[in-house]
Amino acid sequence: MHDVKYLLENYDLAAARLESRGYTDLGWLAELAEKRRVMVGQRDGLRGDQKKVSDSFKLPGTTPEMREELRERSKAIGLQIDAMTAELEAIEADLENRLMYVPNLPDELTPVGPDESGNVVARAWGTPRQLPFKALEHWELGEKLNILDFERARKISGARYVIYRGAGARLERALAAFMLDIHTTEHGYTEILPPFLVLEQCMRGTGQLPKFREEAYVATDEMFLIPTAEVPVTNMHREEILDAKDLPLKYAAYSACFRREAGSYGRDVKGMTRVHQFQKVELVKFTTPETSEEEHQKLTADAERILQRLELPYRVMELCSGDIGFSAARCFDLEVWLPGQQAFREISSCSNFKDFQARRAGIRYRPAPGEKPRFVHTINGSGLAVGRTVIAILENYQQEDGSIVVPTALRPYMGGLEVIR
RNA sequence: GGAGAGAUGGCCGAGUGGCCGAAGGCGCUCGCCUGCUAAGCGAGUGUAGGUCAAAAGCCUACCGUGGGUUCAAAUCCCACUCUCUCCGCCA
């Protein structure tokens, strides 16, 4: 959510930034905000009047007749206040509602571009493997080895699910443990295992709602299945005032993620590139505004380290204004090389939300004792999406006979297994 | 699921209709004192909105949430949520 004052005081700049990401309609803001401002003043004035009348009851020498008159006057004022409050509440609800649909301002560092085509390669690591035989795609490998079962997953849950079996399940578990171990012991993150069902206000806090309701699974009791651990972990500190000396807070959370993938019919239908449930290790940081840029870079590097340890070639894409997510101000995608698909595919998305989520979720910090609280900056990124890492390993480490060499770094987590066959 | 107790500021805790944005304590900040440390003394210390060029000041709201009663609600009434204790059930 935005600071209305900031938007109004920097209107031209803000409108231009929003336009660079496709949001062109901000005309309603000034009028609504002004209407609200005037009405708040009037309402508060009336309340003040009513308080003065009430105070008169206590004055010595107030006769019963005078009391009766005071009562009448106070009631009359009360009626005016009620009418005004109803109108004001409608205006505030309207303002709030519209504001919730305004995406974040792209950062000044974010390249301007219309869509995906405007993204720029920030850097690359490793050499995309070209195998000396016909490389298979992950679903072919998975089914051949009987470690991924799409057929039975369809039977029990429908399209876009997967069952991991045997060494496949072990590989997924090993990767999650491997990632968490590196982030907690080498990168200084605190491990979190959050609830996978959250209240609606959490989804609003991180920006999934109200705009992207059709993307979310809703359980009974108005609970939402989390689309990413970003939601519960960011909201852990909702409505809190953090201590400056505790910042940056760094969390690494493993969770299942649930996505309806509405509107992606026909895309990535084969295999498990795009499924309704996948597992992910998510990195989340709470920082001061001064350090968020640096912490964002570091978080991205922390995610990259996993790919490097697994010796998986990748490139880092800096997303342009037309392609960054609703809540993000700046975003780097990590794209891993897949020899089977002969393409780079997203395996992590690392975003700096600045104070956009913090404002929605009420997450602040006190810079120093006695000073006013300020909104923190939130940053998060996948470190990494586990399922897609399985895909990358299958495709990159496949051998001509269809077996899979286990990356060296992962072998301790696989009970010493060197080859999946 | 049943019975009972509770929810007040960064924390603890008082407050049963107006004198309460809220006693007292802790913590924190500044100052004094003390040749170190500790103790002691004094002052200050919630959030948001509005007003103002800005600050000071002033106004308004906020005592779990939402309604209600009343001229007036932290305080009375109703509903809900959450927490704690005991019982039941359960991984």
Side-chain angles (χ1 to χ4, degrees), chain A residues 179 278-281 347-348 382-390:
Chain A
M179 293 176 191
F278 61 95
Q279 284 68 240
K280 179 160 60 66
V281 170
I347 196 167
S348 169
S382 347
L384 307 162
V386 182
R388 289 195 177 173
T389 309
V390 170

Side-chain angles (χ1 to χ4, degrees), chain A residues 7 37 79 91 105 114 127-128 152 180 236 268 277 309 340:
Chain A
L7 287 185
R37 191 187 65 79
L79 287 175
I91 288 170
L105 298 179
T127 309
R152 291 197 177 90
L180 285 168
M236 284 200 305
D268 306 317
Q277 178 196 319
R309 290 290 190 86

Side-chain angles (χ1 to χ4, degrees), chain A residues 33-52:
Chain A
E34 176 61 14
K35 228 166 152 183
R36 177 193 162 274
R37 191 187 65 79
V38 169
M39 290 196 71
V40 165
Q42 290 176 349
R43 196 237 356 229
D44 285 356
L46 283 172
R47 278 188 181 154
D49 293 345
Q50 193 180 39
K51 273 184 104 162
K52 285 197 195 81

Side-chain angles (χ1 to χ4, degrees), chain A residues 312-333:
Chain A
L312 292 168
Y314 67 91
R315 65 182 186 184
V316 180
M317 300 297 291
E318 171 149 27
L319 300 199
C320 73
S321 58
D323 199 35
I324 51 174
F326 178 81
S327 302
R330 194 170 190 217
C331 179
F332 296 107
D333 274 5

